[in-house]
Amino acid sequence: MEYVHIPDTDLTVSRVALGTWAIGGWMWGGSDEREGIATIHAALDAGVTLIDTAPVYGFGRSEEIVGKALKEYGRRDRVHISTKVALAWKDGQVRRNASPARIEAEVEDSLRRLGVETIDIYFVHWPDGKVPFEETAAALERLRLSGKVRCVGVSNYDPAQMEAFRGRARLSFCQPPYNLFERDMETAILPYCKRHGVALMTYGALCRGLLSGTMRPDREFTGDDLRRFDPKFAMPRFGQYLGAAGALAAWAKERHGKELLPFAVRWVLDQGVEVALWGGRRPAQMAPIGDIFDFALTAADFEAVNRILAEHVTDPVGPQFMAPPE
């Protein structure tokens, strides 16, 4: 495992963090609590020290499972938690709400579900255009100064929104989507964060399983699985992305003796990202973690990635389908 110190904080965290959306079950076809807890323990045993969750992941379920897992595991001083705020839900329908009142109420619910007195990293989950960013930031900064949260972050914000936010709060983290197939962050968000000392904790390193090395064209998605609504998983795009994944896997094996999954995560980390989120809900999915940290990519690797994507993905699409309504 590799670890990174976050500037202007007292946090040192693992460069791979466990994402727990799937553990919450919502939009992933349900969850199994004991298996989720075992998955968190397996990640911690592999050197992960940062667990990422959110209230909306299962409408509180993911946070509760994370809380139980950490209580059972012990060694709490070695583990950090990041969670989020500013998504409200009713009858399974999600809406953005970054009002100070919502934030003040929601943090108490998260602290209770997680069973902690302080949240290490607290993200605004999505920007809310109906609330001035300065007001949202001021509410988060009050929580930081009160000790209820240690660091403040934003997720899915663009540079202009971060600039407004930074006027009223100490911004330590930015959490955008980023993987071999979804690279919009490179244009503006990455340079902005590097320029202003904001650490990147990117999500979706495996692009919802497309870069796991196990996805097949006959894979079926049922129930509320979000991939039923993801245009990447609908033909003919699905075939294009699987073709690219196959070519990338062949390159990773030939050049580094690696499977696609560690190659894909290493690619994210070697782009200047401090922390890559890797989601999972079964303990066996944590086994490849050790394969990520004994090699580094070269200029030839980056050139090959660009060539393979250009050859195979002729109709690319981003992750915009996941954005909740304003």
Side-chain angles (χ1 to χ4, degrees), residues 18 23 32-45 65 68-69 72-73 280-286:
L18 176 64
I23 285 174
D32 179 281
E33 181 175 304
R34 289 314 311 173
E35 193 164 48
I37 289 173
T39 301
I40 294 168
H41 290 174
L44 297 175
D45 287 343
I65 292 174
K68 291 179 181 180
E72 290 183 17
Y73 194 79
R281 55 178 164 176
R282 293 186 298 276
Q285 292 174 317
M286 302 298 104

Side-chain angles (χ1 to χ4, degrees), residues 57-134:
Y57 299 164
F59 307 124
R61 183 70 172 149
S62 177
E63 285 188 330
E64 290 172 350
I65 292 174
V66 168
K68 291 179 181 180
L70 296 186
K71 183 177 181 180
E72 290 183 17
Y73 194 79
R75 290 168 278 181
R76 177 66 184 88
D77 59 325
R78 295 171 49 189
V79 184
H80 302 297
I81 300 172
S82 66
T83 191
K84 305 175 187 74
V85 70
L87 287 183
W89 62 85
K90 183 178 181 181
D91 300 326
Q93 300 299 311
V94 177
R95 294 289 184 274
R96 308 184 199 196
N97 185 348
S99 66
R102 174 72 185 177
I103 292 168
E104 291 166 7
E106 201 169 346
V107 69
E108 301 298 337
D109 290 337
S110 289
L111 289 168
R112 172 180 50 79
R113 286 189 290 255
L114 291 165
V116 298
E117 295 181 356
T118 302
I119 294 165
D120 296 300
I121 309 165
Y122 205 35
F123 287 98
V124 182
H125 205 152
W126 283 86
D128 180 359
K130 294 183 178 180
V131 179
F133 298 114
E134 294 84 354

Side-chain angles (χ1 to χ4, degrees), residues 16-286:
V16 163
L18 176 64
T20 61
W21 184 1
I23 285 174
W26 176 64
M27 298 194 77
W28 289 94
S31 68
D32 179 281
E33 181 175 304
R34 289 314 311 173
E35 193 164 48
I37 289 173
T39 301
I40 294 168
H41 290 174
L44 297 175
D45 287 343
V48 170
T49 64
L50 178 57
I51 308 297
D52 181 81
T53 185
V56 77
Y57 299 164
F59 307 124
R61 183 70 172 149
S62 177
E63 285 188 330
E64 290 172 350
I65 292 174
V66 168
K68 291 179 181 180
L70 296 186
K71 183 177 181 180
E72 290 183 17
Y73 194 79
R75 290 168 278 181
R76 177 66 184 88
D77 59 325
R78 295 171 49 189
V79 184
H80 302 297
I81 300 172
S82 66
T83 191
K84 305 175 187 74
V85 70
L87 287 183
W89 62 85
K90 183 178 181 181
D91 300 326
Q93 300 299 311
V94 177
R95 294 289 184 274
R96 308 184 199 196
N97 185 348
S99 66
R102 174 72 185 177
I103 292 168
E104 291 166 7
E106 201 169 346
V107 69
E108 301 298 337
D109 290 337
S110 289
L111 289 168
R112 172 180 50 79
R113 286 189 290 255
L114 291 165
V116 298
E117 295 181 356
T118 302
I119 294 165
D120 296 300
I121 309 165
Y122 205 35
F123 287 98
V124 182
H125 205 152
W126 283 86
D128 180 359
K130 294 183 178 180
V131 179
F133 298 114
E134 294 84 354
E135 289 187 16
T136 300
L140 268 292
E141 184 68 1
R142 287 194 292 271
L143 294 180
R144 188 185 70 83
L145 294 174
S146 74
K148 291 184 178 181
V149 307
R150 295 172 68 186
C151 299
V152 170
V154 294
S155 185
N156 303 298
Y157 271 52
D158 64 31
Q161 293 164 342
M162 282 191 277
E163 187 68 15
F165 192 97
R166 287 178 60 244
R168 297 292 298 276
R170 180 190 295 176
L171 181 61
S172 298
F173 285 91
C174 174
Q175 189 183 94
Y178 190 52
N179 55 64
L180 278 162
F181 293 150
E182 296 170 337
R183 300 174 56 176
D184 288 353
M185 182 197 78
E186 294 174 1
T187 303
I189 294 173
L190 176 61
Y192 179 89
C193 289
K194 293 304 175 185
R195 189 161 59 249
H196 295 286
V198 178
L200 283 159
M201 186 197 303
T202 60
Y203 69 85
L206 303 183
C207 198
R208 299 169 295 287
L210 278 172
L211 293 164
S212 66
T214 63
M215 193 67 65
R216 299 293 178 265
D218 59 351
R219 175 72 178 272
E220 294 184 3
F221 306 100
T222 60
D224 68 346
D225 193 312
L226 82 164
R227 290 169 290 191
R228 289 180 59 201
F229 317 103
D230 185 341
K232 280 189 175 63
F233 291 82
M235 290 295 185
R237 282 195 183 101
F238 192 29
Q240 293 177 16
Y241 282 106
L242 288 178
L248 289 166
W251 175 271
K253 180 65 73 173
E254 178 183 348
R255 297 285 294 194
H256 299 284
K258 295 291 183 180
E259 301 298 326
L260 176 58
L261 189 155
F263 181 85
V265 178
R266 186 76 248 177
W267 181 90
V268 171
L269 295 174
D270 285 353
Q271 296 284 12
V273 170
E274 280 79 9
V275 180
L277 280 176
W278 174 0
R281 55 178 164 176
R282 293 186 298 276
Q285 292 174 317
M286 302 298 104

Side-chain angles (χ1 to χ4, degrees), residues 309-323:
L309 295 183
E311 289 174 356
H312 289 271
V313 184
T314 58
D315 187 22
V317 63
Q320 291 84 358
F321 81 101
M322 288 193 291

